[in-house]
C-alpha cells in the first residue's frame, strides 16, 4: 500500500470517528461538516481507485 492510499484510508477512518462523535454529542453543524468531508474523501478514493468499504455512518 502506498503512502497516498494509507493516508486516505486513515483520513476516512478518522473522519468516520469524528462524525460519530459529533452525532452522539448532538452537534448538528459539526456532523454536517464531517459528513461533507467524508463524502469528499470517498469521492477522492473512487477517483483514484482506492477501495473503501462503506460504513453505517
Amino acid at each position: 500500500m502506498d503512502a497516498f492510499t494509507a493516508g486516505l484510508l486513515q483520513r476516512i477512518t478518522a473522519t468516520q470517528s469524528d462524525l460519530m462523535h459529533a452525532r452522539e454529542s448532538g452537534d448538528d453543524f459539526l456532523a454536517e461538516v464531517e459528513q461533507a468531508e467524508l463524502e469528499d474523501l470517498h469521492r477522492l478514493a473512487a477517483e483514484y481507485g482506492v477501495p473503501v468499504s462503506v460504513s453505517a455512518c
Side-chain angles (χ1 to χ4, degrees):
M1 179 180 306
D2 63 22
F4 174 78
T5 300
L8 183 58
L9 294 174
Q10 183 178 16
R11 287 183 61 197
I12 288 171
T13 300
T15 303
Q16 288 172 330
S17 177
D18 293 345
L19 175 58
M20 183 182 68
H21 292 337
R23 287 178 174 167
E24 288 174 352
S25 71
D27 190 336
D28 293 335
F29 176 74
L30 182 57
E32 286 182 32
V33 169
E34 296 297 345
Q35 182 65 48
E37 176 72 9
L38 188 57
E39 290 169 4
D40 288 343
L41 291 169
H42 278 249
R43 210 172 3 261
L44 187 61
E47 183 177 326
Y48 285 93
V50 177
V52 177
S53 61
V54 178
S55 76
C57 287

